[in-house]
Amino acid sequence: MPELAQKIRDIIKPENIVYAKSPLMNDDVMHYCPGCSHGVVHRLIGEVIEEMGIQDQTIGVSPVGCAVFAYKYIDIDWHEAAHGRAPAVATGIKRVMPEKYVFSYQGDGDLAAIGTAETFHAVNRGENIVMIFINNAIYGMTGGQMAPTTLVGQVTSTTPYGRNVDLNGYPLRITELLAQLPGAAYVTRQSVQNAAAVRKTKKAIRKAFEIQAMKKGTAFVEVVSTCSSGWKLSPVDSNKWMEENMFPQYPLGDLKDGTRADANDYSIKG
Amino acid sequence: MAKVRGAVVVDNEVCKGCNLCVVACPSRTLALNRDVNSKGYHYSYMENPENCNGCTNCSAVCPDSCITVYRVKVE
Ligand SMILES: Cc1ncc(C[n+]2csc(CCOP(=O)(O)OP(=O)(O)O)c2C)c(N)n1
Ligand code: SF4
Ligand code: SF4
């Protein structure tokens, strides 16, 4: 045993580090529940900003929802928005400071319910911003109420017998709708349920920031996420539930990979 | 053939015992400790340290950025 302990000590040396927390991630312990996807996505955003060397040029807009305190965790400039209004605030910041990287970070209640108008019009205008969308199919912060993205049959605190289409309507695939808007440049749906998925999501976030630099239009990254407290499952079971139930309704992959539409295609002729 | 060996250091006080790293580890290195940290969480630790190959899967899925991974090549 002492031999093994010595072996481990020989490995644990600064020159052998292959992964360490990004210096952009503050030391504040996150307020999120154990296993919450928000933490993983925060980390990926921090790593992308660090790797692109744009810490001093990036401004995040945090939402209302569990991620309301996002500004505490990544060491960049932030602006807090009223519930659902992050894309409008991000639009204003980007237009005043077009040289900055600006992104919004929103949950599904924020982006797809109260903020639907701001979401649609920011993407339709083709604002050169990045929008990160955490779809956990529930209102996490307020106690697990139904969201527009809640699945049919899913039990929430406001649908105790499961979401019923006659009463509550259908799950909103807002990302599919946004992909059709002419202002959208890059629209993708990813997840963070295992290490491979996490690496893909990081690539997607990086690509979204690069698209902003190229002024191609809005870059939109949905991350299908878990809310173990709202779903009343363990974090590990939440990932399983997400794979089995969320992925068929919210299939992963790129929905659009291009550039915002050419104005000529929409202008009066003659 | 060169082999790799790894080791991880978990920030015990930041870990919330979510167990995601334990299931992400392909080599069954990690487990939740029977002991708890000051917040009452069973933090993750290397139960089978000789298994670790430093693949970084555990740190990739950690929501609280509390895992540092080390890797060395051994002849
Ligand atoms: C104008 C306004 N209306 C309602 C609320 C209450 N509220 C706070 S967070 C929230 C929903 C959050 O859900 P979501 O955006 O999905 O984020 P999550 O907490 O799941 O990450 C609501 C309705 C509010 N804070 N402000
Ligand atoms: S309530 Fe849900 S979304 Fe909010 S921190 Fe907890 S797990 Fe995450
Ligand atoms: S680095 Fe890989 S092998 Fe080592 S503990 Fe983490 S997941 Fe397991």
Side-chain angles (χ1 to χ4, degrees):
Chain A
M1 208 56 187
E3 217 180 284
L4 180 61
Q6 185 53 45
K7 261 191 193 163
I8 296 168
R9 268 199 299 276
D10 286 345
I11 300 173
I12 298 176
K13 287 182 176 158
E15 62 269 30
N16 298 330
I17 290 181
V18 283
Y19 181 84
K21 181 174 138 176
S22 163
L24 258 70
M25 301 309 289
N26 292 330
D27 285 333
D28 297 281
V29 176
M30 290 189 181
H31 68 290
Y32 298 115
C33 308
C36 178
S37 305
H38 276 303
V40 180
V41 181
H42 283 21
R43 207 190 66 226
L44 298 181
I45 293 171
E47 289 174 6
V48 165
I49 292 171
E50 183 205 348
E51 285 163 22
M52 290 178 71
I54 55 172
Q55 178 180 16
D56 299 338
Q57 294 147 257
T58 306
I59 302 167
V61 182
S62 54
V64 168
C66 282
V68 67
F69 296 129
Y71 57 79
K72 284 171 58 173
Y73 305 128
I74 311 176
D75 189 11
I76 54 171
D77 286 332
W78 285 90
H79 199 300
E80 176 61 51
H83 203 7
R85 276 51 174 175
V89 174
T91 296
I93 295 172
K94 182 71 184 180
R95 287 186 177 210
V96 173
M97 290 181 280
E99 73 286 2
K100 300 282 186 195
Y101 289 84
V102 182
F103 72 95
S104 66
Y105 183 103
Q106 303 173 263
D108 45 299
D110 193 85
L111 181 142
I114 193 168
T116 311
E118 284 74 9
T119 300
F120 268 93
H121 290 292
V123 179
N124 193 49
R125 291 191 305 268
E127 296 295 339
N128 275 309
I129 56 172
V130 170
M131 296 173 68
I132 309 283
F133 170 36
I134 305 298
N135 178 8
N136 57 18
I138 209 161
Y139 289 5
M141 184 196 214
T142 42
Q145 293 85 356
M146 185 190 77
T149 46
T150 295
L151 303 181
V152 174
Q154 185 181 340
V155 172
T156 70
S157 57
T158 45
T159 55
Y161 305 109
R163 183 177 189 161
N164 170 345
V165 165
D166 293 336
L167 214 54
N168 313 115
Y170 298 88
L172 181 59
R173 293 197 185 117
I174 195 164
T175 304
E176 273 78 353
L177 299 174
L178 295 172
Q180 293 177 31
L181 299 179
Y186 175 52
V187 180
T188 188
R189 185 186 280 124
Q190 303 291 335
S191 190
V192 289
Q193 82 281 16
N194 57 38
V198 169
R199 292 183 182 114
K200 277 182 81 176
T201 300
K202 182 172 169 182
K203 282 199 184 122
I205 293 172
R206 171 141 193 164
K207 183 166 173 174
F209 277 90
E210 287 168 353
I211 280 169
Q212 178 169 170
M214 292 186 276
K215 302 187 172 63
K216 282 180 158 188
T218 310
F220 188 92
V221 182
E222 172 177 346
V223 184
V224 182
S225 297
T226 61
C227 172
S228 51
S229 294
W231 297 359
K232 308 205 186 316
L233 295 169
S234 72
V236 172
D237 287 344
S238 294
N239 271 336
K240 284 190 201 132
W241 192 89
M242 176 172 70
E243 283 176 329
E244 280 165 26
N245 300 290
M246 297 268 288
F247 290 179
Q249 297 298 323
Y250 300 110
L252 307 188
D254 288 352
L255 287 92
K256 185 171 184 190
D257 188 2
T259 184
R260 62 185 239 182
D262 189 333
N264 287 327
D265 295 342
Y266 290 80
S267 53
I268 40 175
K269 305 275 185 264
Chain B
M1 202 180 79
K3 267 182 62 180
V4 288
R5 285 186 54 85
V8 305
V9 174
V10 178
D11 187 334
N12 297 348
E13 277 305 311
V14 175
C15 178
K16 296 172 183 161
C18 72
N19 208 35
L20 293 180
C21 57
V22 176
V23 301
C25 175
S27 68
R28 293 175 184 264
T29 301
L30 301 170
L32 295 189
N33 208 308
R34 288 178 61 188
D35 288 342
V36 293
N37 63 20
S38 66
K39 294 199 183 103
Y41 291 122
H42 294 277
Y43 53 90
S44 171
Y45 82 115
M46 290 200 288
E47 189 182 47
N48 303 303
E50 64 284 2
N51 289 0
C52 180
N53 58 28
C55 70
T56 71
N57 278 9
C58 53
S59 57
V61 299
C62 176
D64 291 279
S65 309
C66 61
I67 306 180
T68 308
V69 185
Y70 301 79
R71 192 194 300 146
V72 291
K73 278 204 180 88
V74 286
E75 296 308 320

